[in-house]
Amino acid sequence: MIAPFIYSATTVRVIFGVDSFAALAEEAKLLGIKRVLVISTPGQTRLAHQVATQLGTRCVGTCHQARMHVPIDAVQQTLDQVSQLTVDGIVAIGGGSSIGLAKAVALETELPIIAIPTTYSGSEMTPIYGITEHGVKKTGKASQVQPKVVIYDPNLTINLPCDVSITSGINAIAHAVEGLYAKDTNPVVSLMAEEGIRALATGLPIIYRHPDDIEARTQCLYGAWLCGIVLGSVGMALHHKLCHTLGGSFNLPHAETHTVILPYVIAYNREAAPDSMQRIARALGVQDPARGMYDLAKSNGAKVSLREIGMKEADLDAALHIALQNPYWNPQVIEKKPLEALLNAAYVGEAP
Ligand code: NAD
């Protein structure tokens, strides 16, 4: 039986496929933007200059200030640049860090964003923003930060390092996993979630062996797009809250933390969300979804324990305390003992 549901469609225009980057100048023209600022991380200046060249006279400046978790000083400096150059639109190239800075600027200015994602983390498909001030990351939702156009060109992901590709891809899978059992999920989101997991689980092992396989890169970008829609459409649960806590309070790397935690959260929710578990297992092509996720990470070279990604054993109690502080919805009730067991298992990386 199909239960009643609400589905809110996003109105993003998506240009997908090999060489779709060539459409950039035309897309800027269609949006009516004539004075573009290009945003990237310091590591992606070469890509940013490629974007500037593509835009020609429509580009009035570049900004390479984007950093993880969008520090407020970078936002302020970029806002100053926007005002000095009378910018009327932004092109963000890179991952969640570049797109995150563009969103923080759009939050203040309502400037339209064209996003060109080169990782799989999915920020381009959401109206969610985050800004870090005095060590605290504030997040929120606002329609003006949702990019108007997203260009997915697999060619631009060929140089994404293999380890970043794997953890970023599993970060995307985490959106789909939690979207399947979200309180406000719906059949359309579930279709995208299952297909997103399938595409990434197919592509990632090929990328691990052959990082320049364009077909696998295309599969993964397609999967990332679908998983990003899921993230932007429905509420997340234990996994995202736990990763937010661990990343924010103990400064653990974003995608790696998602990669370590996901198999244990799937195991935690296994009995409470049987239909979602069946879909995750089917998409991964395995019997047990938690073990399947763990194996996908481990067999493709990812670190599978909190210990390996920099967590200190002495901080586990504090992490448990913070995670229990604000109760939130999850298919399985969140309780101290099982959550403690989850964190301990994730700390050493034992198979779930
Ligand atoms: P990232 O943007 O920080 O990129 C990771 C690294 O990969 C960077 O060093 C970057 O320079 C490099 N890189 C990116 N593209 C490359 C390429 N083509 N070739 C070589 N190197 C490349 O990582 P991310 O995981 O995409 O984003 C993480 C950030 O995004 C976090 O702050 C997270 O909170 C945020 N995020 C936000 C949302 C949202 O909806 N608002 C969703 C997901 C992630």
Side-chain angles (χ1 to χ4, degrees):
M1 197 188 100
I2 298 175
F5 64 86
I6 296 174
Y7 174 70
S8 306
T10 48
T11 51
V12 187
R13 177 172 160 91
V14 171
I15 320 291
F16 187 95
V18 173
D19 295 333
S20 56
F21 178 61
L24 173 62
E26 183 60 22
E27 290 300 320
K29 189 174 162 196
L30 284 173
L31 269 181
I33 51 182
K34 297 189 178 102
R35 299 186 60 80
V36 176
L37 179 71
V38 180
I39 292 182
S40 78
T41 54
Q44 300 311 309
T45 47
R46 195 186 51 78
L47 270 180
H49 287 127
Q50 236 174 289
V51 170
T53 306
Q54 233 287 326
L55 286 166
T57 52
R58 262 175 223 280
C59 178
V60 293
T62 56
C63 157
H64 311 295
Q65 307 249 24
R67 299 199 300 279
M68 187 81 96
H69 302 311
V70 194
I72 186 79
D73 60 313
V75 178
Q76 201 46 61
Q77 284 169 28
T78 314
L79 283 169
D80 291 346
Q81 204 177 353
V82 159
S83 142
Q84 278 158 16
L85 296 170
T86 53
V87 165
D88 65 1
I90 302 169
V91 174
I93 181 141
S97 298
S98 299
I99 296 165
L101 179 56
K103 285 177 165 183
V105 171
L107 185 67
E108 290 292 316
T109 59
E110 303 205 2
L111 288 177
I113 302 172
I114 298 179
I116 311 178
T118 62
T119 72
Y120 306 131
S121 60
S123 177
E124 67 281 359
M125 293 310 295
T126 83
I128 305 164
Y129 64 87
I131 300 171
T132 304
E133 189 169 8
H134 306 307
V136 180
K137 186 167 180 178
K138 286 191 199 132
T139 57
K141 271 189 177 188
S143 56
Q144 73 261 35
V145 310
Q146 169 72 65
K148 303 274 182 290
V149 175
V150 178
I151 297 177
Y152 286 107
D153 188 336
N155 282 336
L156 303 176
T157 64
I158 288 285
N159 293 327
L160 187 66
C162 201
D163 55 339
V164 185
S165 303
I166 302 300
T167 54
S168 180
I170 294 175
N171 183 189
I173 291 178
H175 310 328
V177 164
E178 297 237 295
L180 280 168
Y181 54 60
K183 193 164 51 168
D184 55 348
T185 196
N186 62 64
V188 182
V189 156
S190 295
L191 278 176
M192 291 192 263
E194 186 174 338
E195 174 68 353
I197 299 172
R198 188 206 56 74
L200 282 154
T202 307
L204 290 176
I206 302 172
I207 289 177
Y208 183 57
R209 293 192 306 275
H210 307 287
D212 55 359
D213 186 309
I214 196 68
E215 182 49 41
R217 289 285 181 186
T218 305
Q219 279 281 330
C220 287
L221 210 48
Y222 166 66
W225 168 38
L226 295 174
C227 294
I229 300 176
V230 174
L231 175 67
S233 304
V234 295
M236 298 286 109
L238 174 62
H239 174 80
H240 281 73
K241 301 286 178 181
L242 209 48
C243 291
H244 190 77
T245 299
L246 291 166
S249 307
F250 306 103
N251 200 26
L252 298 185
H254 179 80
E256 287 93 326
T257 307
H258 276 268
T259 302
V260 171
I261 293 294
L262 187 59
Y264 303 102
V265 172
I266 295 176
Y268 191 99
N269 286 327
R270 200 160 25 199
E271 308 303 326
D275 293 348
S276 307
M277 295 300 151
Q278 221 181 355
R279 293 187 85 138
I280 298 164
R282 187 166 62 202
L284 292 174
V286 298
Q287 289 293 315
D288 179 69
R291 184 60 199 243
M293 262 325 300
Y294 180 85
D295 290 343
L296 181 69
K298 194 165 183 168
S299 63
N300 291 297
K303 293 175 177 142
V304 292
S305 70
L306 289 175
R307 184 167 52 191
E308 285 170 287
I309 62 165
M311 179 102 187
K312 294 191 184 75
E313 192 168 9
D315 286 335
L316 284 172
D317 272 353
L320 178 65
H321 181 73
I322 302 168
L324 286 167
Q325 254 173 2
N326 295 317
Y328 35 83
W329 188 85
N330 186 61
Q332 180 69 48
V333 182
I334 294 170
E335 291 171 310
K336 189 174 175 195
K337 277 256 169 273
L339 193 56
E340 191 174 17
L342 183 164
L343 283 170
N344 286 336
Y347 179 73
V348 292
E350 74 189 25

